[in-house]
Amino acid sequence: MKSIKLREPLALSIYLNTRGIGYALFEGVIAPVDWGIKTAKTKGVSDCLEKVRVLLHLLQPSVIVLQDCEGKLSRCTKRIEKLVNRISALARTKRIKVLRYSRADIRECFAYYGARTKDEIARAIAKLLPEFAPRVPPMRKLWMSEDYRMGLFDALSLVFTYYAKERLSPA
């Protein structure tokens, strides 16, 4: 007799940038549970790692989705690459599955919606999940620095890529 899966695994995507952490917890492709942005007071690895420890403790995910710093189109700094590796190691000690997706994977996922840039991807996400529409940052001009809210949409793009890749891959 087959066992019935009552709920989808909780997928926590964490996107690290120079300002801190964007995160999104989902229980299914269109079922956001929690999301947010955590700013790092210092540029140190330990501050961000502690914030991730707290998130893992509070949210209890089954899967963690991270950016692939070695992937195609990656622009990760050494600090972010080190953090991603430390978060992966932390997750493994807690027996949490870790998956990584590159910027190229995200672009591939959102190509269906005609979205290639981060701004276009954020707007595509807002159309798919209207509760995020008020959080979409204004379109970035060349002279502008990236809006802090983009970290949330980077995390959302990772979780959407996870669901797209998981559903398309053979079981």
Side-chain angles (χ1 to χ4, degrees), residues 137-156:
M139 195 74 101
R140 181 178 173 191
K141 306 285 193 257
L142 286 175
W143 61 87
M144 297 168 68
S145 61
E146 187 172 84
D147 190 289
Y148 78 98
R149 292 171 289 185
M150 194 53 80
L152 171 62
F153 286 92
D154 289 330
L156 290 167

Side-chain angles (χ1 to χ4, degrees), residues 79-154:
R79 177 182 150 278
I80 290 176
E81 188 175 343
K82 183 178 181 179
L83 260 167
V84 167
N85 290 332
R86 300 259 319 258
I87 291 167
S88 294
L90 176 64
R92 281 192 295 274
T93 65
K94 296 181 177 295
R95 299 176 196 255
I96 301 171
K97 181 179 178 179
V98 177
L99 296 168
R100 297 183 189 194
Y101 297 107
S102 68
R103 178 65 42 201
D105 293 329
I106 293 168
R107 277 190 176 173
E108 181 185 321
C109 173
F110 283 91
Y112 175 81
Y113 302 100
R116 288 186 41 81
T117 67
K118 284 179 143 191
D119 287 316
E120 291 169 347
I121 290 169
R123 281 160 180 64
I125 290 169
K127 284 181 184 173
L128 293 167
L129 294 171
E131 59 261 47
F132 292 104
R135 293 171 177 81
V136 175
M139 195 74 101
R140 181 178 173 191
K141 306 285 193 257
L142 286 175
W143 61 87
M144 297 168 68
S145 61
E146 187 172 84
D147 190 289
Y148 78 98
R149 292 171 289 185
M150 194 53 80
L152 171 62
F153 286 92
D154 289 330

Side-chain angles (χ1 to χ4, degrees), residues 2-128:
K2 278 189 173 180
S3 64
I4 298 173
K5 194 186 231 182
L6 296 176
R7 68 172 223 185
E8 297 246 357
L10 288 174
L12 174 64
S13 66
I14 298 172
Y15 191 90
L16 302 155
N17 60 28
T18 55
R19 291 188 172 155
I21 302 166
Y23 71 94
L25 180 71
F26 274 61
E27 186 181 7
V29 70
I30 57 169
V33 176
D34 192 18
W35 58 86
I37 302 166
K38 302 275 186 195
T39 54
K41 292 181 181 141
T42 66
K43 296 282 184 194
V45 171
S46 61
D47 187 32
C48 283
L49 197 57
E50 185 54 35
K51 289 183 185 317
V52 171
R53 261 193 202 98
V54 170
L55 284 173
L56 294 180
H57 177 73
L58 292 174
L59 302 176
Q60 300 289 311
S62 307
V63 177
I64 293 180
V65 185
L66 299 168
Q67 66 224 72
D68 184 358
C69 291
E70 296 167 7
K72 196 174 174 186
L73 305 176
S74 175
R75 292 184 181 168
C76 291
T77 64
K78 291 290 179 193
R79 177 182 150 278
I80 290 176
E81 188 175 343
K82 183 178 181 179
L83 260 167
V84 167
N85 290 332
R86 300 259 319 258
I87 291 167
S88 294
L90 176 64
R92 281 192 295 274
T93 65
K94 296 181 177 295
R95 299 176 196 255
I96 301 171
K97 181 179 178 179
V98 177
L99 296 168
R100 297 183 189 194
Y101 297 107
S102 68
R103 178 65 42 201
D105 293 329
I106 293 168
R107 277 190 176 173
E108 181 185 321
C109 173
F110 283 91
Y112 175 81
Y113 302 100
R116 288 186 41 81
T117 67
K118 284 179 143 191
D119 287 316
E120 291 169 347
I121 290 169
R123 281 160 180 64
I125 290 169
K127 284 181 184 173
L128 293 167

